[in-house]
Amino acid sequence: MTDTELLPQDGESNPFRLDGPIRPVRYDLTLEPDLGAATFAGEVEIALLVSAATDTISCNALELDILSADVSEGPLASASHVAVTGVVLDAESERVTFTLERPLAPGEAHLRIRFNGVLNDKLRGFYRSTFTDTDGNEQIIATTQFEATDARRAFPCWDEPEHKASYVISLIVDEDLFAVSNAAELSREPAPDRIGKHIVRFAETIVMSTYLVAFIVGPLEATDAIDVDGTPMRVIYPRGKGHLTDFALEVGAFCLRHFTNYYGIPYPGDKLDLVAVPDFAFGAMENLGCVTFREILLLVDPATTTQAELLNVTDVINHELAHMWFGDLVTMKWWNGIWLNEAFATFMEMHATDAFRPQWDRWTTFGLSRTAAFDTDSLTSTRPIEYPVISPADAEGMFDILTYEKGAAVVRMLEQYLGEDQFRSGIRQYLAEHAFGNTETTDLWDAIESATGEPVRRIMDSWIFQGGFPVISVDIVNDGRTLRLTQHRFGYAGDLGDGESPIPAHDDAAQWVVPLIFSQRSATDGVITFEKVLLDQPSIDIPLVEPATWIYVNTEGTGFYRARYAPDLRAALVTHAQTDLSPIERYGLVDDIWASVLAGDLEAHDFLDAAEAFREETDLSVWQRLIAGLSALDRIVDGDGRAALHTRVRGILTPAYETLGAEPRSTDTDRDRALRGVLFEALGVLGGNIDVQARARVLLEIDALEPDPALVAASVNIVASTGTAAEFNEFLRRMKNAATPQEELRYLGALADFPDPDLVARLVRLTLTDDIRSQNAPLVLRRALSNRDAGEIAWFFVSSEWEALTTRLPSNSIARFLEGIRGLSKPGTASEVLAFFETHEVPQGYKILAQHLERLEVNVALRQRESQRLTHRLLHGR
């Protein structure tokens, strides 16, 4: 039984929420971590506001030993003592309850607690992280990760977003260790009665939620602070990695100014530290003033890093800083609203990245993320963006692709429909009205509606509170004088849903209020015009003033819907794509054609034919989508059919590669260099081009020539795809001795691509050892499960070592690495996977797991439907 099945009935309270008459106002928290013993001691004094008489105080605490507690009533200067007569820790509800000798009267009170805890190795709460310094010695850091509900593992608290309070934090640390927290350091001095210890005191924070509290202690260093319009900003890093900080400082400074201008509100903290943590379960965390990151997402050498890797670093920094306002200053009341925090931060990260490096064409690149959201949202096991959250496990399960990418896509859709300036006016109004407070999702829609006069709540409710999305069928009727647009819920063929037989690919029952923008080219004078339509019914007819050469119903790809064109309209778009459509529109056209194959509306050879029409394509993102579709076809054919597919793929890829040139040019843009790497890799891996494979091996041997990073990264994957045992050992050595976090992960990920099942078996066994960090093990397992030749071996390991893996790895990572099972589409293996999860649960990600399993069913159906048919077409033509 899942926690969501325990929804409170009418009149019942949520057993996981604190709904008593007491609210925290301020925490005075002192912690003393012992890094060697992996323990900590703490004391917290919590100023409380009592709204009704009560003789018990309940707050959250988990995995803590409560040593003592006392309560005082009234202002501290004249407080009266109230004895604590009982202390009960309840692990199931994750609470501690203090029973008092008499009821507290309404008004001010203070609760003081002494406690001990353990620095765990689960990458949550207050935990240990390790790294090897430049002398080869292991060093230990104590760091925090509290979102969603893990502050309670570090100190007793009201661990819910709505219980905002201020924090005054002090850390007692070894005199040679660095300490940092949310607010500026006020003092550092020898700790009384503690030989070799210092006490570091920090300023009081603004009022904020517990999940945003952070403190980090260890052998760290910091850059000199730079002044960003009055805010001091630093990068903090493990000793010896200061040479990798300049890019993060550049991005952070730009982003802070960008967001201050966009929101119209000053940055709410008194300083900003960006902290690189060696072991981190998430990508990064928006702790106010003390933002934590995986090293790979903060520390970077631009000279050896690909454009995609630099984009990733930029995006993540921007995402976290967007939260300083949207999430930290204004916070959701409960975890059902976390999607808006994350969706809006995802939207704003791209807004800032596009301003920081316009040449990266960030909104076109977003097509890839939107495709991933479409893919999950096409399933019957999808969920509404916002849904009831009851327990901590439910909250943890909210951090998925629908929260981030679909949420950002619908926010972008709304912004483009309303207009950027009008949308921003609504955002500014929302932040100003609710600063330092908590909100529901509808508060944002109401603010934007107030600022724009548009029916924002009606539009957005149809997208937020139901799962799925529409496909817009497009046809010309009435002898070419009328454009007919019809909406249905989109779905994949072969999806079994909750039953034993496939559900229909499309559903006519669901409806959306679709803010749609379409464009058309006049057949008379060639002029391209644009029109906005609010599609709030099953079908509408739009008069056409004159005949159209083509019609495209998702102008600039801003809508979260697919399009299904009548055959002649689709053919016209393909014909005119290179001359008339923008890159994101061409991307959307290719993406919709592939989705139609998965839906059973088109056949695999239709996608191949379309891909051949795009041989002269010049855009990076369009090629990435074409190659993804071709790679999916490569998984469902074997033998001579696969060899024929590789020949055809080479024919599709080679013209664009030759036009771009095999060697970097001085006139290349960042996206040109990235595209060269993508085409080079596809020719070597998917096209089986032996000359490319040979060149890749040469590029990895001539370090002194400092080849282009995009070609180096591509070469790593090419060599892995046909790699030998000797090359596997060399990749393992390079991973362990990598000069940058990006290089380390590049080689580590590629190890999962080697075709020899024995080598993959050796690799996955390392995920249970210290050779692979627990934060990176899920990435390795997901990629190994996706290995075309050795995925079954990886699955055998996962199913055999399930208990060990779920014990060692961060709980939030289990469902995510299982994404790799989607590709295990051979019927026998797929049946084993489906049977395994009938008896094995993933409580923190049961919805995500259900989506993986349904997507596996879709892939099985695609193989059964298309494998023989595609093989025949490849070998014998029409």
Side-chain angles (χ1 to χ4, degrees):
M1 179 180 292
T2 63
D3 289 319
T4 301
E5 291 174 298
L6 299 176
L7 282 169
Q9 302 302 308
D10 290 343
E12 293 183 358
S13 62
N14 181 346
F16 295 97
R17 294 189 71 168
L18 297 166
D19 55 3
I22 295 180
R23 295 183 63 86
V25 176
R26 167 177 156 144
Y27 294 80
D28 282 85
L29 174 64
T30 300
L31 290 163
E32 182 175 358
D34 185 330
L35 274 56
T39 60
F40 62 91
E43 181 174 331
V44 62
E45 182 176 298
I46 311 171
L48 304 172
L49 183 62
V50 183
S51 60
T54 179
D55 61 359
T56 61
I57 301 175
S58 291
C59 65
N60 295 114
L62 185 63
E63 299 173 0
L64 297 175
D65 293 326
I66 305 299
L67 304 181
S68 66
D70 64 79
V71 175
S72 58
E73 186 177 47
L76 280 178
S78 58
S80 60
H81 181 261
V82 180
V84 175
T85 58
V87 179
V88 177
L89 280 161
D90 181 359
E92 183 176 357
S93 64
E94 304 184 357
R95 293 182 189 175
V96 58
T97 298
F98 304 96
T99 303
L100 311 180
E101 65 173 347
R102 62 176 175 83
L104 290 174
E108 184 177 345
H110 292 80
L111 169 64
R112 181 180 291 105
I113 310 167
R114 291 178 53 247
F115 56 94
N116 289 334
V118 174
L119 295 173
N120 68 76
D121 59 358
K122 295 294 187 180
L123 312 191
R124 64 186 183 187
F126 199 13
Y127 70 91
R128 294 173 74 250
S129 175
T130 63
F131 71 96
T132 302
D133 64 19
T134 54
D135 296 325
N137 300 315
E138 183 181 76
Q139 301 290 342
I140 301 172
I141 295 170
T143 187
T144 56
Q145 170 56 39
F146 291 160
E147 192 177 30
T149 58
D150 289 318
R152 64 193 65 181
R153 299 175 189 272
F155 60 100
C157 57
W158 276 254
D159 199 11
E160 297 178 4
E162 191 172 9
H163 289 295
K164 283 190 164 185
S166 63
Y167 299 82
V168 178
I169 294 172
S170 299
L171 299 173
I172 299 173
V173 303
D174 290 352
E175 59 186 354
D176 61 339
L177 296 182
F178 190 98
V180 63
S181 187
N182 299 92
E185 181 180 314
L186 294 179
S187 65
R188 180 174 182 133
E189 57 192 14
D193 304 321
R194 303 273 213 297
I195 297 175
K197 298 283 187 178
H198 280 186
I199 182 166
V200 186
R201 295 184 175 89
F202 300 93
E204 184 172 359
T205 70
I206 65 170
V207 294
M208 62 185 190
S209 303
T210 48
Y211 77 89
L212 298 169
V213 176
F215 29 86
I216 300 127
V217 174
L220 303 167
E221 298 174 329
T223 63
D224 291 336
I226 62 173
D227 184 278
V228 185
D229 298 336
T231 298
M233 187 182 78
R234 305 179 295 179
V235 173
I236 297 171
Y237 51 88
R239 289 175 185 166
K241 298 185 177 181
H243 61 292
L244 301 175
T245 59
D246 287 349
F247 185 75
L249 284 169
E250 179 187 1
V251 175
F254 178 91
C255 179
L256 202 57
R257 293 188 177 102
H258 180 80
F259 287 146
T260 299
N261 176 66
Y262 184 91
Y263 294 130
I265 295 174
Y267 168 69
D270 62 359
K271 57 92 177 175
L272 177 61
D273 289 324
L274 312 179
V275 187
V277 178
D279 297 286
F280 201 67
F282 289 79
M285 179 62 211
E286 65 268 21
N287 315 302
L288 181 71
C290 187
V291 185
T292 44
F293 297 80
R294 284 194 183 196
E295 289 185 345
I296 194 173
L297 298 174
L298 188 68
L299 305 179
V300 62
D301 175 8
T304 62
T305 304
T306 68
Q307 187 264 344
E309 290 164 341
L310 283 177
L311 174 62
N312 204 19
V313 170
T314 304
D315 275 350
V316 173
I317 293 173
N318 291 344
H319 181 102
E320 303 311 322
L321 297 195
H323 274 307
M324 300 297 106
W325 290 263
F326 215 100
D328 293 8
L329 180 65
V330 179
T331 313
M332 68 281 164
K333 287 185 178 179
W334 182 243
W335 295 109
N336 62 300
I338 190 61
W339 80 268
L340 188 57
N341 279 12
E342 298 301 344
F344 194 82
T346 302
F347 165 78
M348 287 305 300
E349 83 186 34
M350 292 179 283
H351 193 282
T353 297
D354 189 55
F356 177 67
R357 291 287 189 271
Q359 64 269 32
W360 287 355
D361 203 1
R362 185 63 185 91
W363 289 115
T364 298
T365 307
F366 180 53
L368 297 168
S369 299
R370 193 181 61 171
T371 292
F374 275 142
D375 193 52
T376 293
D377 211 28
S378 300
L379 305 170
T380 58
S381 58
T382 189
R383 62 167 177 84
I385 293 178
E386 182 169 323
Y387 69 95
V389 172
I390 306 304
S391 71
D394 289 335
E396 194 167 324
M398 284 287 286
F399 296 89
D400 65 1
I401 197 166
L402 298 174
T403 286
Y404 288 80
E405 274 70 29
K406 181 182 178 180
V410 298
V411 169
R412 167 74 168 168
M413 177 172 64
L414 180 66
E415 181 221 33
Q416 290 296 294
Y417 181 77
L418 297 176
E420 294 179 11
D421 291 341
Q422 295 90 333
F423 178 83
R424 182 172 67 169
S425 294
I427 296 301
R428 287 182 167 187
Q429 180 176 322
Y430 168 80
L431 291 173
E433 288 177 355
H434 300 286
F436 306 104
N438 298 85
T439 61
E440 301 282 4
T441 299
T442 51
D443 293 325
L444 176 61
W445 308 146
D446 291 345
I448 299 175
E449 191 164 310
S450 172
T452 64
E454 295 285 349
V456 174
R457 185 189 280 211
R458 184 167 71 92
I459 293 172
M460 297 307 288
D461 281 357
S462 76
W463 293 91
I464 302 309
F465 296 115
Q466 66 175 336
F469 62 90
V471 55
I472 309 299
S473 296
V474 186
D475 204 355
I476 302 293
V477 298
N478 195 22
D479 295 327
R481 296 191 296 272
T482 303
L483 170 65
R484 177 165 293 165
L485 303 177
T486 305
Q487 64 165 302
H488 312 270
R489 177 171 176 166
F490 181 84
Y492 287 150
D495 187 345
L496 298 181
D498 295 326
E500 295 298 326
S501 59
I503 63 169
H506 307 299
D507 171 20
D508 292 336
Q511 297 291 313
W512 287 261
V513 180
V514 185
L516 187 148
I517 307 175
F518 72 91
S519 49
Q520 58 183 318
R521 178 172 181 170
S522 167
T524 303
D525 57 17
V527 174
I528 298 174
T529 57
F530 308 90
E531 188 170 341
K532 292 182 179 181
V533 176
L534 196 63
L535 177 58
D536 58 357
Q537 52 191 305
S539 181
I540 59 171
D541 287 348
I542 302 171
L544 295 176
V545 176
E546 55 187 345
T549 302
W550 54 258
I551 294 176
Y552 190 81
V553 298
N554 197 351
T555 301
E556 290 304 317
T558 59
F560 193 75
Y561 50 83
R562 291 202 178 280
R564 183 173 58 189
Y565 297 93
D568 57 333
L569 293 178
R570 185 177 72 248
L573 284 170
V574 171
T575 298
H576 293 276
Q578 297 300 315
T579 56
D580 291 359
L581 300 186
S582 68
I584 187 58
E585 291 171 340
R586 299 197 301 273
Y587 178 99
L589 180 59
V590 172
D591 194 34
D592 286 343
I593 291 172
W594 174 249
S596 293
V597 174
L598 293 176
D601 296 329
L602 296 176
E603 297 180 5
H605 73 84
D606 293 315
F607 181 80
L608 267 179
D609 292 344
E612 288 184 325
F614 279 81
R615 282 178 297 181
E616 304 300 326
E617 177 59 53
T618 58
D619 182 74
L620 168 65
S621 298
V622 179
W623 270 114
Q624 288 172 317
R625 191 65 198 93
L626 287 164
I627 290 166
L630 295 171
S631 297
L633 295 183
D634 183 59
R635 298 186 72 94
I636 65 172
V637 292
D638 296 293
D640 293 342
R642 190 181 185 210
L645 177 64
H646 288 180
T647 299
R648 197 155 171 187
V649 167
R650 290 195 295 273
I652 293 170
L653 296 170
T654 299
Y657 181 66
E658 291 180 344
T659 298
L660 193 60
E663 298 294 340
R665 300 171 178 173
S666 60
T667 56
D668 284 343
T669 66
D670 290 344
R671 284 175 67 84
D672 287 338
R673 287 190 291 273
L675 176 57
R676 181 178 293 106
V678 165
L679 294 172
F680 181 63
E681 179 179 336
L683 278 167
V685 175
L686 189 57
N689 185 311
I690 57 175
D691 292 333
V692 166
Q693 292 170 357
R695 184 177 178 226
R697 285 176 164 83
V698 171
L699 285 173
L700 294 187
E701 293 173 357
I702 51 174
D703 294 340
L705 296 182
E706 297 183 358
D708 182 74
L711 291 176
V712 172
S715 297
V716 170
N717 292 334
I718 293 169
V719 172
S721 70
T722 57
T724 64
E727 288 168 328
F728 182 93
N729 290 332
E730 174 61 14
F731 274 32
L732 197 60
R733 185 193 68 80
R734 293 191 182 196
M735 181 272 290
K736 293 179 178 179
N737 296 285
T740 67
Q742 291 75 27
E743 183 184 10
E744 176 187 358
L745 200 62
R746 200 180 291 164
Y747 280 104
L748 178 60
L751 286 167
D753 292 346
F754 278 71
D756 185 342
D758 290 338
L759 295 176
V760 173
R762 176 182 162 196
L763 173 67
V764 294
R765 286 195 295 270
L766 294 179
T767 61
L768 290 177
T769 73
D770 291 337
D771 288 322
I772 296 178
R773 290 183 183 273
S774 62
Q775 70 170 12
N776 292 333
L779 306 177
V780 172
L781 292 171
R782 181 177 63 190
R783 195 154 163 177
L785 286 165
S786 302
N787 186 313
R788 188 190 188 280
D789 301 302
E792 287 82 2
I793 290 295
W795 168 248
F796 177 78
F797 171 79
V798 168
S799 58
S800 300
E801 299 293 343
W802 180 253
E803 184 176 352
L805 288 169
T806 54
T807 298
R808 178 174 191 252
L809 302 184
S811 60
N812 73 318
S813 71
I814 305 301
R816 288 164 180 77
F817 87 69
L818 288 173
E819 181 182 357
I821 65 176
R822 294 179 173 207
L824 299 174
S825 62
K826 293 179 180 178
T829 307
S831 296
E832 292 177 9
V833 173
L834 293 167
F836 179 84
F837 287 110
E838 289 180 0
T839 57
H840 295 77
E841 296 183 346
V842 183
Q844 297 84 358
Y846 62 91
K847 290 180 181 291
I848 300 173
L849 174 60
Q851 292 154 9
H852 295 332
L853 295 175
E854 289 202 22
R855 190 59 174 84
L856 171 60
E857 292 170 347
V858 171
N859 284 339
V860 170
L862 176 68
R863 176 186 289 273
Q864 293 174 337
R865 191 172 66 245
E866 293 288 348
S867 180
Q868 292 186 357
R869 184 161 57 193
L870 177 59
T871 298
H872 180 82
R873 294 292 292 264
L874 287 166
L875 295 178
H876 305 293
R878 297 181 185 276

